[in-house]
Amino acid sequence: MTEQGFDSMNGMEFDFLKEIGNIGAGNATTALATMLKLKVEMQVPKVALLDFQELPEILGGAENPIAGILLTLRGEIEGMMMFVLEYSAARSMVNLLMGQEKPVEEPLDEIEASALQEVGNIITGAYLSALSNLTNLAMSPSVPYISVDMAGAILSVPAIEFGKIGDKALLIETEFGEKASSVNGYFILIPTLEAYNKILHSFGM
Amino acid sequence: MGTMIKVGMADLNFCHEPDAITTLGLGSCVGVVLYDPVKKVAGLVHIMLPDSTKIKNNENKAKFADTGIEEMLGIIIREGATRARIKAKIAGGAQMFAFSTENDLLRVGTKNVEAVKAELLKLRIPIVAEDTGKNYGRTIEFYPETEELLVKAVGRAPYKI
C-alpha cells in the first residue's frame, strides 16, 4: 500500500472497504431493529467512491434538508464517522421510534432531536464495532452531534476532511426498514490518511 | 432577468450583469465574491480549506483560500474589472455541529474565514460586507447589477448584505 488517499485506491482495497461497509451496516441494522422492535430488512449496501461535489446530489441536492449525526474518533483509528439521511426519512424514523404520526414537514423538537441523536449513536456504534473487530484496531467515538440543515452545508464537514487528502469521499448507502416505510441512510467514514493506511495494513495491504 | 450561474464546492466562476452567480448550501466552506461595481463583473469562489501549502494534493486552486482568491482576482481582471475598484463580500464558514471539544479539526469554518480575510488583506481588497460563522448553512446569490449578496438559510427569511 502506497501512502496515498482514496483517489488512487485499487480494486482490492475498494472491495475490502466494501466488505467493512457490509458488515458494519449489517450490525447497524440489527441494532436498529432491536431498538425499534421491528423486523428491519436491509438491502445489500451500495458502496461508492464519489467526487465530493457529488455528495449532496445523493441526498436530493445541495439545498435539500437532511439530518446528520457526527462522531469523532480517537484511538488507533482517528477521524470522523457520519450518518446522514434525508430530513423526511429522519422524521419517519423518529415517528416510528416514538410511536407517533407527525407530518413530515414538522421540525424536530428537542426530545425528537435527541431521540434521533441516540439512534445515530447506536447505529454508528454498531458500525464502528464491526470495523474495530475486522481490523483489530481500537477506537473510541465521541458523543454524537446532530445537525439538521441543507445537504451541502452538512456534507461540507466530511467533504472538507476528505478534501485534505484528495477529491473523493467513500460513501456507504444502506436501506433500512420495512417495505412500506423504508428509510435510506448513508454512512460516511472519514479516517485520517494515517488511519486509512492503518486500516488497509491491518489486512496486509 | 439574466442567467444564474452555479458554482460548486471547491470551484469558481464569474458573471457580468444582468447575470447573477450563486453557490448552494455553504456550510463550513466560505463563498468569496469579488466584484467591480463600475464594470458590473463579479467572481465567486467556493473555498474549502485555508492553506494549499499544507496539503499534498493541491492542484485545484479554487479549493484553498491562499490560491483560490488570487486565481479569482486574475480572472475578473481579465474579464474587464479594474484592480483598484475590486471589493469583496464573503459568507459561510459556519460551524455545522455544536462541538464542545477542543478538537482542532472541527474549527475548520472559523479557520477558513480567518484565512480568507488574511488573503484579502494581503491583496488589499476591502471586505464591504460579510455574513460568516454561526451554525447554519447558507445559499448565496450575488447580483453585480445591484451589488447585493442575497443569503438564504433554512427556516429564516432571506436577507441581503
Side-chain angles (χ1 to χ4, degrees), chain A residues 19-35 40 42 45 122-134 174 176 187:
Chain A
E19 191 52 24
I20 291 181
N22 276 335
I23 297 170
N27 264 16
T29 306
T30 311
L32 188 68
T34 311
M35 190 168 33
V40 176
M42 188 192 74
I122 290 167
I123 61 183
T124 49
Y127 180 96
L128 292 171
S129 75
L131 176 63
S132 188
N133 288 338
L134 284 170
T174 314
F176 300 109
F187 291 100

Side-chain angles (χ1 to χ4, degrees), chain A residues 100-119:
Chain A
Q100 60 189 23
E101 282 185 21
K102 288 198 188 173
V104 172
E105 58 280 3
E106 190 162 326
L108 300 178
D109 64 28
E110 208 172 309
I111 293 167
E112 290 168 336
S114 85
L116 184 63
Q117 199 167 357
E118 195 45 32
V119 172

Side-chain angles (χ1 to χ4, degrees), chain A residues 3 7 52-53 62-63 68 70 74 80 82 145 147 149-150 152-153 156-157 159-161 163-164 166-167, chain B residues 9 24-28 48-49 55-57 63 96-99 101-102 105-106 108 136-139 152 154:
Chain A
E3 306 286 316
D7 298 17
F52 49 62
Q53 282 95 339
E63 290 187 294
L70 181 75
R74 288 188 177 275
M80 290 181 186
M82 198 171 197
Y145 302 96
S147 178
D149 209 309
M150 292 186 263
S156 74
V157 177
I160 286 169
E161 291 314 310
K164 291 177 183 168
D167 292 317
Chain B
M9 207 177 260
L24 309 178
L26 273 171
S28 296
M48 275 181 89
L49 286 161
I55 311 283
K56 224 176 173 179
N57 182 347
K63 196 158 146 184
M96 295 307 301
F97 291 87
F99 296 110
T101 74
E102 72 300 338
L105 215 109
L106 307 166
V108 65
Y136 56 87
R138 300 165 173 92
T139 281
K152 297 177 184 171
V154 173

